[in-house]
Amino acid sequence: EKALLSIARAAGVGRSGGGGREQKAEDILYAVRVMRAERDELRRIVKAKDKFKEEIAIRLHQESLLQAERQEMEDSCNKLEDLIGGKGQAESLADRLKLAVDSIVVMSAELATMERHRKELISLTKEHEKAVLQATAKLEKTKEKEKELDDKTH
């Protein structure tokens, strides 16, 4: 019976607090079950809160990784924009990157075309130099023949 009274006091029922009436064992058992249910609910809430805190920590970590990645993209975009001569009119980073990449693609195509033209000019210059050398050699032979003719006629 003393144990039952101690349990009743812990459960908040019975004679505790003075002037209370004695409770039946079923009432005490019900109160204990209610307390256990409340405890289990509180544990479930704490577990859910801890899980939520873990999820938040994971999200914050992912956010910091995304922020670092975004900063790298921003730096790359700035470098590309420097190559093309400044910022375009785009507002978002994605639009700025797209505009910069599109401009770089056009510039690359133009450079490839200029390289082809340069190679063609080098080839033409070499052909021209060869033709000049041949003409010079022919001219010298002609001069030698003229000189021989002059020497024979004089």
Side-chain angles (χ1 to χ4, degrees), residues 145-154:
K145 285 183 183 178
E146 281 182 8
K147 187 177 179 185
E148 285 177 13
L149 283 176
D150 274 348
D151 288 342
K152 286 183 183 178
T153 57
H154 287 275

Side-chain angles (χ1 to χ4, degrees), residues 99-113:
L99 181 63
V101 168
D102 289 346
S103 297
I104 293 294
V105 167
V106 168
M107 288 174 63
S108 177
E110 289 175 355
L111 285 173
T113 300

Side-chain angles (χ1 to χ4, degrees), residues 23-41:
Q23 296 288 323
K24 297 180 192 174
E26 294 84 25
D27 292 342
I28 295 170
L29 184 60
Y30 176 76
V32 168
R33 285 183 179 152
V34 168
M35 285 177 57
R36 282 184 180 167
E38 289 172 350
R39 178 202 63 200
D40 292 344
E41 178 65 15

